[in-house]
Amino acid sequence: MFDLSEQKQKLLSQDGNLLVLGGPGSGKTTIALIKAKHEIQKRILKSGQKILFLSFARATVSRVEEQISEMGFNLDIKRNIEINTYHGFTWEILKSHGYLLNGVKRIKLLPPPDAAAKLAEIKDDQELAKEKQRLFLEEGILHFDLFAEYSANLFNNSGILTSIYCDTYPIIILDEFQDTNYHEWLLIKRLGSRSRIIALADPEQRIYEFRGADPKRIKDYIDDFHPSIFDFEKENNRSNGTDIVKFGNDLLAGNINGNTYQNVSIKYYANIPEVHNQVKLEVLLAMQRLNKGTSEWSLAILVPSKQLMLQVSDCLSKRQNLKNGKSYPILKHEVALEKEALALSAVLIAGLMEQGEADLEIKNRLIYHLVDYIRGRKGAGNITQADLKLSKVLIDYLNTGKVRGSSNAKIITDCITISNDCSHLQFSGNPSSDWILVRDIIKKSNSDILKSVEHDSVYLRLLHKGSVLQSGLSELWRERGNYKGAISLVRSALLQEHFSKTSIVPKGIQIMTIHKAKGKEFDEVIIYEGIYNSRIVYKPEDKNELYKSQRLLRVAVTRAIRNVTVMTPMTDKCVLLK
């Protein structure tokens, strides 16, 4: 069924800790799953024991679950393999045992959107860390960033707890091991004190230094765990028959030098007014290629920044009329935005759907949620001075009923209008259409900040048929004839979405930053960098930054199965492609 190389066959019979090295598509995950099956069939697991597979991204978890089904594992094998994200696994630990660290029986989560709003004004990293710790130790409020640290603390403080988890998971497979941060490494060391560890790693895919990934991590593992090492760097199963991996490796080595590569195109685009039309043309050409094969395909447009991602999305969302009388159509697509702005805009809309006993109640709730949106939409610690000032003006208004500045007064006027209009809405009981009714009222606002709320909410994908939120809002309506409780439902649905072990396998056109694409794969990939901003390489003279950029572009390139197109400006070509 699977053509295993001699090295991979040797791995199956190897005991002890393992380190599996290899580039994108080299089969690290596949051989790890076959190894898990092999160990289960040897009947090494006792009753209640499982093999644990951990990865960072839900997209990877989904792909692994899909792969298990494609590999034909029977039910007995499947039920003995537990697949989770690092985040989901550590939350389960803390949910059950976190009280041992602070004495609080019920720990409350501080999800990223709420954390962004609550901690917006703290700029200093040390002060931010102190406040996160204080919230947990004094109030039992747990920030997501602390999951790995506090889980490691639990195991360091309790040998019994360590034994329980190690006995439950005698073999642990760690995907994307090179991206583990310091506290995740401490947790792994504790688990590895009794369990066998199988680490899957590609040192050249380490693009998460900003969250603590350390280039010494693989060496640390070798020094501490003395694993048997297997290197499948030269194998390519994802994009076999193409030069995609070769191109990615040549990028790392700086060996492009005008070489040509099968299934890889480098396009130099012109600096013209409708500049993004050029990437849209490449999308249309890619769609023509893909539609010849199957109706189920995935195409990713990968960009270096959120700003460029939104610009490309706007371009795809509009029809462009060309001088030759033809036009580019509107293209349906998905955008992988950061969660904070979407979540906070969703809570605001839910508050308006709840309506209220009086217009004043709706208006004050709207302004309160707008303050949270302003403070948290860019993530914790990233609030601008302008946003901070505006949020304080709105808080003062809630406390005093007075507002300073004509532009701020217009925001209040818009909030009053929105509140009044929403209080008189006649909802149908269909959550999707009622949600859009509220969104359309916000859209009429003249205030930039309220327009931003509406813009962000458009990208929210929580109202798909059958979703937790959709069914929850429908149930509220059936029971009460209104949407009282919608705010709590939205927050709960967002939390479930965050901890979900599965995600929808991407289909159609997807737009995302290169970092967001890590762990995913697509039939075709278009990599698009901007002219003045949103560059892949910002400081070519800095060797360390240049190497980071090489690794980042290699990750982007190797997300593709069939074809890669790299688009760089003609007037200022990416230095990595010269």
Side-chain angles (χ1 to χ4, degrees), residues 137-182:
L137 295 174
E138 295 181 13
E139 301 181 33
I141 298 173
L142 177 63
H143 193 287
F144 275 38
D145 287 353
L146 300 178
F147 281 16
E149 178 180 351
Y150 285 160
S151 295
N153 288 348
L154 270 173
F155 287 145
N156 278 327
N157 294 335
S158 174
I160 294 174
L161 197 61
T162 303
S163 296
I164 290 171
Y165 274 85
C166 290
D167 286 344
T168 303
Y169 306 108
I171 299 176
I172 302 173
I173 302 171
L174 302 170
D175 191 32
E176 306 286 6
F177 177 74
Q178 75 280 346
D179 284 329
T180 50
N181 64 26
Y182 173 73

Coordinates of all heavy atoms in Angstrom, one line a residue, residues 137-182:
L137 N -3.1 34.0 39.2 CA -2.9 33.7 40.6 C -3.9 34.3 41.6 O -4.3 33.7 42.6 CB -1.5 34.1 41.1 CG -0.3 33.4 40.3 CD1 1.0 34.0 40.7 CD2 -0.4 31.9 40.6
E138 N -4.4 35.5 41.3 CA -5.3 36.2 42.2 C -6.8 36.1 41.8 O -7.7 36.0 42.6 CB -4.9 37.7 42.2 CG -3.6 37.9 42.9 CD -3.2 39.4 42.9 OE1 -4.1 40.3 42.7 OE2 -2.0 39.7 43.2
E139 N -7.0 36.0 40.5 CA -8.4 36.0 40.0 C -8.8 34.7 39.3 O -10.0 34.5 39.0 CB -8.7 37.2 39.1 CG -8.4 38.5 39.7 CD -8.7 39.7 38.8 OE1 -9.6 39.6 38.0 OE2 -8.0 40.7 38.9
G140 N -7.9 33.8 39.1 CA -8.2 32.5 38.4 C -8.5 32.7 36.9 O -9.1 31.9 36.3
I141 N -8.0 33.8 36.3 CA -8.2 34.1 34.9 C -7.0 33.7 34.1 O -5.9 34.3 34.4 CB -8.6 35.6 34.7 CG1 -9.9 35.9 35.4 CG2 -8.7 35.9 33.2 CD1 -10.2 37.4 35.4
L142 N -7.1 32.8 33.2 CA -6.0 32.2 32.5 C -5.8 32.7 31.1 O -6.7 32.6 30.3 CB -6.1 30.7 32.5 CG -5.0 29.9 31.8 CD1 -3.6 30.1 32.4 CD2 -5.3 28.4 31.7
H143 N -4.7 33.3 30.8 CA -4.4 33.8 29.5 C -3.9 32.7 28.6 O -3.1 31.8 29.1 CB -3.3 34.9 29.5 CG -3.1 35.7 28.3 ND1 -2.5 35.2 27.2 CD2 -3.5 37.0 28.0 CE1 -2.5 36.1 26.2 NE2 -3.0 37.2 26.7
F144 N -4.2 32.7 27.3 CA -3.9 31.6 26.5 C -2.3 31.4 26.4 O -1.9 30.3 26.2 CB -4.4 31.8 25.1 CG -5.9 31.3 24.9 CD1 -6.8 31.5 25.9 CD2 -6.3 30.7 23.7 CE1 -8.1 31.0 25.8 CE2 -7.6 30.3 23.6 CZ -8.5 30.5 24.6
D145 N -1.6 32.5 26.5 CA -0.1 32.4 26.3 C 0.5 31.5 27.4 O 1.7 31.1 27.3 CB 0.5 33.8 26.3 CG 0.2 34.5 25.0 OD1 -0.3 33.9 24.1 OD2 0.6 35.7 25.0
L146 N -0.2 31.3 28.5 CA 0.4 30.6 29.7 C 0.1 29.2 29.7 O 0.5 28.5 30.7 CB -0.1 31.3 31.0 CG 0.2 32.8 31.1 CD1 -0.4 33.4 32.4 CD2 1.7 33.1 31.1
F147 N -0.6 28.6 28.7 CA -1.0 27.2 28.8 C 0.3 26.3 29.0 O 0.3 25.4 29.9 CB -1.7 26.8 27.5 CG -3.1 27.2 27.5 CD1 -3.6 28.2 28.3 CD2 -4.0 26.7 26.5 CE1 -5.0 28.6 28.3 CE2 -5.3 27.0 26.5 CZ -5.8 28.0 27.4
A148 N 1.3 26.4 28.1 CA 2.4 25.5 28.2 C 3.2 25.8 29.4 O 3.6 24.8 30.1 CB 3.3 25.8 26.9
E149 N 3.4 27.0 29.8 CA 4.2 27.3 31.0 C 3.6 26.7 32.3 O 4.3 26.0 33.1 CB 4.3 28.8 31.2 CG 5.1 29.3 32.4 CD 5.2 30.8 32.6 OE1 4.8 31.5 31.6 OE2 5.6 31.2 33.7
Y150 N 2.3 26.9 32.4 CA 1.6 26.4 33.7 C 1.5 24.9 33.6 O 1.5 24.2 34.7 CB 0.3 27.1 33.9 CG 0.5 28.5 34.4 CD1 -0.5 29.4 34.3 CD2 1.7 28.9 35.0 CE1 -0.4 30.7 34.8 CE2 1.9 30.2 35.5 CZ 0.8 31.1 35.4 OH 1.0 32.4 35.8
S151 N 1.3 24.3 32.5 CA 1.2 22.8 32.4 C 2.6 22.2 32.7 O 2.7 21.2 33.5 CB 0.9 22.4 30.9 OG -0.4 22.8 30.6
A152 N 3.7 22.9 32.3 CA 5.0 22.4 32.6 C 5.2 22.5 34.1 O 5.8 21.7 34.8 CB 6.1 23.2 31.9
N153 N 4.7 23.6 34.7 CA 4.8 23.8 36.2 C 4.1 22.7 36.9 O 4.6 22.2 38.0 CB 4.3 25.2 36.6 CG 5.2 26.4 36.1 OD1 6.3 26.2 35.7 ND2 4.6 27.6 36.2
L154 N 2.9 22.4 36.5 CA 2.2 21.3 37.1 C 3.0 20.0 37.2 O 3.1 19.4 38.2 CB 0.9 21.1 36.4 CG -0.4 21.9 36.8 CD1 -1.5 21.6 35.8 CD2 -0.8 21.5 38.2
F155 N 3.6 19.6 36.0 CA 4.3 18.4 36.0 C 5.6 18.5 36.8 O 6.0 17.5 37.3 CB 4.6 18.0 34.5 CG 3.4 17.5 33.8 CD1 3.2 17.8 32.4 CD2 2.4 16.8 34.4 CE1 2.1 17.4 31.7 CE2 1.3 16.4 33.7 CZ 1.1 16.7 32.4
N156 N 6.2 19.6 36.8 CA 7.4 19.8 37.6 C 7.1 19.7 39.1 O 8.0 19.2 39.8 CB 8.1 21.2 37.3 CG 8.9 21.1 36.0 OD1 9.5 20.1 35.7 ND2 9.0 22.3 35.3
N157 N 5.9 20.1 39.5 CA 5.6 20.1 40.9 C 4.9 18.8 41.3 O 4.8 18.6 42.5 CB 4.6 21.2 41.2 CG 5.3 22.6 41.0 OD1 6.5 22.7 41.2 ND2 4.5 23.6 40.7
S158 N 4.6 17.9 40.4 CA 3.8 16.7 40.8 C 4.3 15.5 40.0 O 4.0 15.4 38.8 CB 2.3 16.9 40.6 OG 1.6 15.7 40.8
G159 N 5.1 14.7 40.6 CA 5.5 13.5 40.0 C 4.4 12.5 39.7 O 4.4 11.8 38.7
I160 N 3.4 12.5 40.6 CA 2.2 11.7 40.4 C 1.5 12.0 39.1 O 1.1 11.2 38.3 CB 1.3 11.8 41.7 CG1 2.0 11.2 42.9 CG2 0.0 11.0 41.4 CD1 1.2 11.4 44.2
L161 N 1.2 13.4 38.9 CA 0.5 13.8 37.8 C 1.3 13.5 36.5 O 0.7 13.0 35.5 CB 0.3 15.3 37.8 CG -0.8 15.9 36.9 CD1 -2.1 15.3 37.2 CD2 -0.8 17.4 37.0
T162 N 2.6 13.7 36.5 CA 3.5 13.3 35.4 C 3.3 11.8 35.1 O 3.1 11.4 33.9 CB 4.9 13.6 35.7 OG1 5.1 15.0 36.0 CG2 5.8 13.3 34.5
S163 N 3.3 11.0 36.1 CA 3.2 9.5 35.9 C 1.8 9.2 35.3 O 1.7 8.3 34.4 CB 3.3 8.8 37.3 OG 4.6 9.0 37.8
I164 N 0.8 9.9 35.7 CA -0.6 9.6 35.2 C -0.6 9.8 33.7 O -1.1 9.0 32.9 CB -1.6 10.4 36.0 CG1 -1.8 9.9 37.4 CG2 -3.0 10.4 35.2 CD1 -2.6 10.8 38.3
Y165 N -0.1 11.0 33.3 CA -0.2 11.4 31.9 C 0.8 10.5 31.0 O 0.4 10.1 29.9 CB 0.1 12.8 31.7 CG -1.1 13.7 31.9 CD1 -1.5 14.1 33.1 CD2 -1.9 14.0 30.8 CE1 -2.7 14.9 33.3 CE2 -3.1 14.8 30.9 CZ -3.5 15.2 32.2 OH -4.6 15.9 32.4
C166 N 1.9 10.2 31.6 CA 2.9 9.4 30.8 C 2.3 7.9 30.7 O 2.6 7.3 29.7 CB 4.2 9.4 31.5 SG 5.1 11.0 31.3
D167 N 1.7 7.5 31.7 CA 1.1 6.1 31.7 C -0.1 6.1 30.7 O -0.3 5.1 30.0 CB 0.5 5.7 33.1 CG 1.7 5.3 34.0 OD1 2.8 5.1 33.5 OD2 1.4 5.3 35.2
T168 N -0.8 7.2 30.5 CA -1.9 7.3 29.6 C -1.3 7.4 28.2 O -1.9 6.8 27.2 CB -2.7 8.5 29.9 OG1 -3.2 8.5 31.2 CG2 -3.9 8.6 28.9
Y169 N -0.2 8.1 28.0 CA 0.4 8.3 26.6 C 1.8 7.8 26.6 O 2.7 8.6 26.8 CB 0.3 9.7 26.2 CG -1.1 10.4 26.3 CD1 -1.4 11.3 27.3 CD2 -2.0 10.0 25.4 CE1 -2.7 11.9 27.4 CE2 -3.3 10.6 25.4 CZ -3.6 11.5 26.4 OH -4.9 12.1 26.5
P170 N 2.0 6.5 26.5 CA 3.4 6.0 26.6 C 4.2 6.3 25.4 O 5.5 6.3 25.4 CB 3.2 4.4 26.7 CG 1.8 4.2 26.1 CD 1.0 5.4 26.4
I171 N 3.6 6.7 24.3 CA 4.3 7.2 23.1 C 3.7 8.5 22.7 O 2.4 8.6 22.5 CB 4.2 6.2 21.9 CG1 4.8 4.8 22.3 CG2 4.9 6.7 20.7 CD1 4.7 3.8 21.2
I172 N 4.5 9.5 22.4 CA 4.0 10.9 22.0 C 4.7 11.3 20.8 O 6.0 11.3 20.7 CB 4.2 11.9 23.2 CG1 3.5 11.4 24.5 CG2 3.7 13.3 22.7 CD1 3.8 12.3 25.7
I173 N 4.0 11.6 19.7 CA 4.5 12.1 18.5 C 4.4 13.6 18.4 O 3.3 14.1 18.6 CB 3.8 11.4 17.3 CG1 3.9 9.9 17.3 CG2 4.3 12.0 16.0 CD1 3.0 9.2 16.3
L174 N 5.4 14.3 18.2 CA 5.5 15.8 18.2 C 5.7 16.3 16.8 O 6.8 16.2 16.3 CB 6.5 16.3 19.2 CG 6.4 15.8 20.7 CD1 7.6 16.2 21.5 CD2 5.1 16.4 21.3
D175 N 4.7 16.9 16.2 CA 4.8 17.4 14.9 C 5.4 18.8 15.0 O 5.3 19.5 16.0 CB 3.5 17.5 14.2 CG 3.6 17.8 12.7 OD1 4.6 17.4 12.1 OD2 2.6 18.4 12.2
E176 N 6.1 19.3 13.9 CA 6.7 20.6 13.9 C 7.5 20.9 15.1 O 7.5 22.0 15.7 CB 5.6 21.7 13.7 CG 4.6 21.5 12.6 CD 5.2 21.8 11.2 OE1 6.5 22.1 11.2 OE2 4.5 21.8 10.2
F177 N 8.3 19.9 15.5 CA 9.1 20.0 16.8 C 10.0 21.3 16.8 O 10.2 21.9 17.8 CB 9.9 18.8 17.0 CG 10.7 18.8 18.2 CD1 10.1 18.7 19.5 CD2 12.1 19.0 18.1 CE1 10.9 18.7 20.6 CE2 12.9 19.0 19.3 CZ 12.3 18.9 20.5
Q178 N 10.5 21.7 15.6 CA 11.4 22.8 15.6 C 10.8 24.1 16.0 O 11.5 25.1 16.3 CB 12.0 22.9 14.2 CG 11.1 23.5 13.1 CD 10.1 22.5 12.6 OE1 10.2 21.3 12.8 NE2 9.1 23.0 11.8
D179 N 9.5 24.2 16.0 CA 8.8 25.4 16.4 C 8.4 25.5 17.9 O 7.8 26.5 18.3 CB 7.5 25.6 15.5 CG 7.8 26.0 14.1 OD1 8.8 26.7 13.9 OD2 7.1 25.6 13.2
T180 N 8.8 24.5 18.7 CA 8.4 24.6 20.1 C 9.2 25.7 20.8 O 10.3 25.9 20.5 CB 8.7 23.2 20.8 OG1 10.0 22.8 20.5 CG2 7.7 22.1 20.3
N181 N 8.5 26.4 21.7 CA 9.1 27.4 22.5 C 9.7 26.9 23.8 O 9.6 25.6 24.1 CB 8.2 28.6 22.7 CG 7.0 28.3 23.6 OD1 7.0 27.3 24.4 ND2 5.9 29.0 23.4
Y182 N 10.2 27.7 24.6 CA 10.9 27.3 25.8 C 10.0 26.5 26.8 O 10.4 25.4 27.2 CB 11.5 28.5 26.6 CG 12.1 28.2 27.9 CD1 13.3 27.6 28.0 CD2 11.4 28.6 29.1 CE1 13.8 27.3 29.3 CE2 11.9 28.3 30.3 CZ 13.1 27.7 30.4 OH 13.7 27.4 31.7

